[in-house]
Amino acid sequence: MNEEDRAAAERLRDRFAEAGELEPENAALSEILEDFPQLARFLVLRHIWPRLIDAWAVSGALERLPAGARLLETGTDRDDLVKVARSVAYDTAFGLLYMICFGRDDEAAEGSPGWAVMESTPEGELTGRQLDGLHEDLLSLDPSGREGADLIE
């Protein structure tokens, strides 16, 4: 790695660390050496667990849904209900990411458009680097470090 790439990797490593990536050096090296848009991938995925999956474990989250409140009133175990809600949220997030990254509707008529998720500059200009396989990294970003294992217990 030349000096310019090394300096870029160090700056990128610091940005990853600031954003909360657990392995900032590896992510930065992958972006620099393999030309993968790792920082954009991380920024897209990092809030899914805390905001969409684990948010169901917060006190009051189940109660705000009439069906959740009714189930809790009947004595349904709160931990089990939280696990169901989190599992459904995970499956939905995974399925949506998979569908988005698949890039097309294979049931649509021939000649139908597809789509792509692309990295952009801070000014909104496309870099030409596509964010493929976002669903593949979802489990590894579980903030508990369990990679979703608690969802199937």
Side-chain angles (χ1 to χ4, degrees), residues 10-11 16 30 43 45 53 57 65 72 83 88 100 103 126:
E10 289 173 2
R11 287 190 303 275
F16 271 112
S30 174
L43 295 175
L45 296 170
I53 300 169
L65 298 174
L72 290 169
K83 191 175 292 186
V88 169
I100 288 170
L126 297 179

Side-chain angles (χ1 to χ4, degrees), residues 1-149:
M1 184 182 305
N2 64 40
E3 196 58 38
E4 185 178 320
D5 285 346
R6 187 180 321 277
E10 289 173 2
R11 287 190 303 275
L12 192 55
R13 176 203 62 211
D14 294 345
R15 290 187 68 195
F16 271 112
E18 182 180 300
E21 166 62 54
L22 297 177
E23 296 182 9
E25 189 164 315
N26 290 340
L29 287 174
S30 174
E31 180 148 342
I32 297 295
L33 298 176
E34 301 169 291
D35 196 31
F36 289 154
Q38 297 290 17
L39 184 57
R41 290 175 66 81
F42 180 74
L43 295 175
V44 165
L45 296 170
R46 72 178 175 160
H47 295 295
I48 291 175
W49 279 92
R51 293 184 184 174
L52 302 178
I53 300 169
D54 291 338
W56 289 105
V58 174
S59 179
L62 295 171
E63 293 80 359
R64 72 183 160 107
L65 298 174
R70 285 192 303 272
L71 285 168
L72 290 169
E73 287 171 8
T74 66
T76 300
D77 183 77
R78 186 174 207 295
D79 290 340
D80 285 343
L81 196 51
V82 164
K83 191 175 292 186
V84 167
R86 289 179 63 242
S87 295
V88 169
Y90 171 81
D91 287 348
T92 301
F94 183 90
L96 181 60
L97 290 170
Y98 180 84
M99 183 191 71
I100 288 170
C101 290
F102 190 67
R104 62 184 166 78
D105 179 347
D106 59 357
E107 296 176 12
E110 188 174 325
S112 295
W115 52 83
V117 178
M118 302 290 291
E119 176 188 51
S120 67
T121 67
E123 295 77 30
E125 297 175 21
L126 297 179
T127 66
R129 298 194 312 176
Q130 192 165 335
L131 279 70
D132 287 323
L134 292 170
H135 60 288
E136 296 171 0
D137 291 335
L138 187 55
L139 278 178
S140 67
L141 289 174
D142 177 357
S144 72
R146 298 178 296 222
E147 296 189 345

